[in-house]
Amino acid sequence: MIDACYTCRRRHINCDRTQTPCLKCQKAGLKCLDKRPIRWVQGVAIRGNMRGRSHQDNSVCSSPVEQVDTRSTTPVGILQQAQTFSLVDLVPTHSAQTSLPGSLNDVALSNLDRLKHYYLDYYNDRICQLLIVYDSDNNPFRSLIPLALNDAVLLDAICALAARHRANFNQPFSSTPTQASSVSPNVDGEALRFKHGAIQGLSKSLTAQRSYHDSTVASVFLLVFLDLVESGCDRWNYHLEGAKSLMALTPTHDPGRTLQRIRKFIVKQTHLIEALGATFVRPELLSKSSSIDESANLLQDVVEESFLGCPEYILTAVQFFSLQRDLIANGNRSDQASIHEVISVYDAVREFDCKTWATALPQESVTRDIDDLCKLARTYQLGAMLYGRRVLDALEQIRTNQDSVVAELVGIINSLQHGSNLLKCILWSITVAGLESESQLQRDILIQALESFWMDTKCLNVTHAAKILQAHWINIDTHKAEVSDWIFDICQLSHDWLLL
């Protein structure tokens, strides 16, 4: 095989190209196709008023509301969208085959109703590759599936995440107040029901127990990502704090290799979310975490087991800058020694070698683009420099020109829009660049990047990021004589945003 197969391309994974069928398709139980297949749909037309109508039916009717056919786990409305983006290309119909790993317990799978089976499959195909830098056989999100088959709460959390993401495909990137939402009532209702089931189940579990299973922690952890997909505001911090508290109460006695990996992954990503998330929220909203020296001892960077791929070195620096910002916001002006400490951390971030970091990462089985990884790390490095410099400016009561740093960051963001799948990892960097940008050209590039991010992820927090930036630009353009301290302004919004 010379070219990657169509099935792997549509699943956004690296085809091994060794044979036909390829090993990836064989392992997933999928049909290995070299090109897009012809798909038959019911009726004489694939769109319009005659969609789904037969020659024998001469009546005129509107297109059917998307619903789940009781005879199949594939939504009827999706099957009929042959010429537009179709989730059928990404999620196999369960009546024929499943993309779930063949090692899963067949009995547990057979006990699932069709709707849960569908969304579990959707999670496996779409969500797992979305929430990780590089998808691989060791994807920690996929490792949650066997746990979910034996835990109703975790299964509901997974299905809620999958259903909400699927519902977002009908949402526009930007909308006016007069535009009505096109979310299917059925899909929206499914997402809400699964979310209600997960939260109710968690409530019962937390009330009944004093120690908790890893699946309980994982359920709470997934609710953070559900909030990213839903909106990215207000509730995520409660889920994050809950996951941190439960981790302290969860038994640690030899849980087995798989559970150890999942637990370490949750700890690592919790640190990532709280470090970057703290930059855009009210001071001290999140509980105090480990110090910068202790954080440096966290797990080694592994991009195949990372939500965003931000180097740990940069994360700890950003967290340190946020702590200093909180002190300033609370009226605690630092002394000269503290200023020197901030300068020292800032200089360390500036000297960070992205290429050395990228090339020294543990090598997994997936193919990586080192240049893309360098760009990914560089976006976080530059974003941390912009943020850290503004914190230092607040301490020294000066205003530093950072146009060259902004220009480089916007340039890298623009380059990642074309031919890279790592754009999905840099919403934080895009937002920081936007908060510093004064050029209309740069702003246009960033909004285009946010729209591309939306097309890649369908997470609603990105649409809110665009609105926040546009409102910020209007404000600073209107009050040009005033200096905008965005590191403080951003945390005074009406919501606490998680823009990752």
Side-chain angles (χ1 to χ4, degrees):
M1 179 185 297
I2 298 176
D3 298 323
C5 72
Y6 172 81
T7 308
C8 286
R9 293 199 308 271
R10 295 303 292 166
R11 295 177 67 209
H12 297 282
I13 64 173
N14 290 308
C15 181
D16 58 71
R17 308 185 185 187
T18 57
Q19 61 187 44
T20 303
C22 73
L23 295 177
K24 292 289 181 69
C25 289
Q26 280 186 317
K27 186 171 182 178
L30 297 172
K31 187 174 182 181
C32 188
L33 303 170
D34 61 339
K35 59 184 179 180
R36 181 169 183 157
I38 296 174
R39 294 183 290 116
W40 295 96
V41 297
Q42 183 180 5
V44 298
I46 60 173
R47 59 168 63 89
N49 289 338
M50 292 304 293
R51 187 175 71 170
R53 308 293 295 170
S54 66
H55 288 289
Q56 288 74 26
D57 190 347
N58 295 321
S59 63
V60 178
C61 67
S62 60
S63 59
V65 175
E66 185 177 61
Q67 58 184 338
V68 176
D69 190 335
T70 57
R71 298 163 296 175
S72 170
T73 58
T74 305
V76 173
I78 290 177
L79 280 173
Q80 295 167 333
Q81 296 172 5
Q83 296 302 315
T84 58
F85 182 81
S86 171
L87 298 181
V88 171
D89 294 323
L90 304 170
V91 184
T93 58
H94 306 300
S95 58
Q97 57 190 1
T98 178
S99 68
L100 293 171
S103 60
L104 292 180
N105 188 318
D106 290 337
V107 175
L109 282 174
S110 64
N111 290 334
L112 291 180
D113 62 57
R114 290 178 178 271
L115 192 61
K116 287 185 178 179
H117 199 157
Y118 172 83
Y119 283 122
L120 192 63
D121 211 358
Y122 184 102
Y123 171 86
N124 179 59
D125 259 348
R126 290 286 299 175
I127 304 300
C128 290
Q129 61 88 20
L130 169 65
L131 299 180
I132 210 77
V133 179
Y134 290 116
D135 196 7
S136 70
D137 293 338
N138 295 323
N139 189 324
F141 284 100
R142 198 168 281 116
S143 299
L144 298 178
I145 295 176
L147 289 180
L149 292 176
N150 296 296
D151 189 288
V153 176
L154 180 56
L155 181 59
D156 277 343
I158 285 176
C159 290
L161 182 56
R164 178 53 57 196
H165 185 267
R166 204 198 83 183
N168 287 356
F169 272 87
N170 296 322
Q171 292 274 37
F173 170 67
S174 59
S175 59
T176 63
T178 58
Q179 286 180 310
S181 173
S182 58
V183 176
S184 162
N186 283 11
V187 181
D188 190 52
E190 290 160 6
L192 290 173
R193 284 194 298 274
F194 285 128
K195 180 180 179 180
H196 180 264
I199 292 176
Q200 287 290 94
L202 281 171
S203 179
K204 293 178 181 178
S205 177
L206 297 176
T207 302
Q209 302 180 47
R210 292 185 178 179
S211 63
Y212 308 97
H213 300 293
D214 291 274
S215 56
T216 306
V217 179
S219 301
V220 179
F221 178 67
L222 284 184
L223 292 180
V224 177
F225 294 94
L226 175 59
D227 196 58
L228 282 178
V229 177
E230 279 188 332
S231 66
C233 72
D234 293 344
R235 296 171 298 276
W236 65 272
N237 54 296
Y238 295 106
H239 303 319
L240 187 68
E241 294 296 335
K244 289 159 62 177
S245 299
L246 288 178
M247 285 296 293
L249 299 172
T250 304
T252 57
H253 57 277
D254 192 19
R257 187 173 181 179
T258 299
L259 287 181
Q260 281 182 343
R261 283 185 61 247
I262 292 173
R263 180 177 292 172
K264 289 179 180 179
F265 171 71
I266 293 175
V267 170
K268 177 79 172 181
Q269 304 321 304
T270 297
H271 172 60
L272 181 152
I273 293 168
E274 69 178 356
L276 296 179
T279 58
F280 300 139
V281 300
R282 289 167 290 158
E284 300 180 349
L285 177 73
L286 302 178
S287 63
K288 292 293 186 293
S289 186
S290 55
S291 70
I292 188 169
D293 293 330
E294 293 170 338
S295 296
N297 295 321
L298 285 174
L299 302 176
Q300 183 180 22
D301 287 313
V302 181
V303 291
E304 288 81 8
E305 297 181 4
S306 176
F307 167 39
L308 298 177
C310 177
E312 179 64 39
Y313 193 88
I314 304 297
L315 279 180
T316 54
V318 170
Q319 189 171 45
F320 173 76
F321 292 144
S322 292
L323 291 173
Q324 296 304 309
R325 183 209 63 173
D326 291 357
L327 290 173
I328 300 169
N330 290 330
N332 300 317
R333 293 285 173 178
S334 299
D335 55 22
Q336 198 62 34
S338 298
I339 293 176
H340 284 311
E341 187 178 6
V342 175
I343 292 174
S344 176
V345 174
Y346 176 84
D347 288 341
V349 170
R350 186 176 56 188
E351 297 300 321
F352 181 76
D353 191 326
C354 296
K355 186 170 184 179
T356 298
W357 173 83
T359 54
L361 289 168
Q363 183 61 50
E364 297 286 332
S365 58
V366 301
T367 302
R368 301 171 181 165
D369 187 319
I370 296 298
D371 288 340
D372 271 5
L373 279 174
C374 288
K375 290 179 181 178
L376 174 65
R378 185 64 172 163
T379 66
Y380 282 106
Q381 180 185 23
L382 294 171
M385 289 170 59
L386 292 172
Y387 185 70
R389 183 68 253 182
R390 290 299 174 230
V391 172
L392 190 56
D393 284 355
L395 288 171
E396 298 180 326
Q397 298 184 6
I398 61 175
R399 181 75 177 180
T400 304
N401 185 300
Q402 302 198 94
D403 289 349
S404 61
V405 180
V406 175
E408 182 182 355
L409 179 53
V410 172
I412 296 174
I413 291 169
N414 190 37
S415 70
L416 287 175
Q417 290 189 73
H418 310 289
S420 173
N421 69 340
L422 299 186
L423 182 70
K424 66 182 181 180
C425 301
I426 62 168
L427 180 57
W428 184 84
S429 302
I430 295 173
T431 305
V432 172
L435 291 167
E436 279 282 340
S437 177
E438 296 181 359
S439 159
Q440 187 58 49
L441 176 60
Q442 290 176 345
R443 293 173 181 180
D444 291 341
I445 290 172
L446 293 173
I447 290 297
Q448 183 184 39
L450 290 175
E451 186 165 8
S452 298
F453 189 103
W454 165 251
M455 296 304 296
D456 288 346
T457 67
K458 297 298 182 181
C459 294
L460 281 173
N461 68 332
V462 70
T463 65
H464 293 295
K467 293 174 183 176
I468 289 169
L469 289 181
Q470 288 166 336
H472 173 74
W473 294 333
I474 291 173
N475 182 57
I476 63 176
D477 289 346
T478 304
H479 306 90
K480 291 193 175 184
E482 300 178 12
V483 175
S484 172
D485 289 327
W486 62 263
I487 62 170
F488 301 110
D489 294 342
I490 192 70
C491 63
Q492 294 173 359
L493 300 175
S494 57
H495 299 285
D496 295 305
W497 294 100
L498 184 62
L499 304 178
L500 308 181

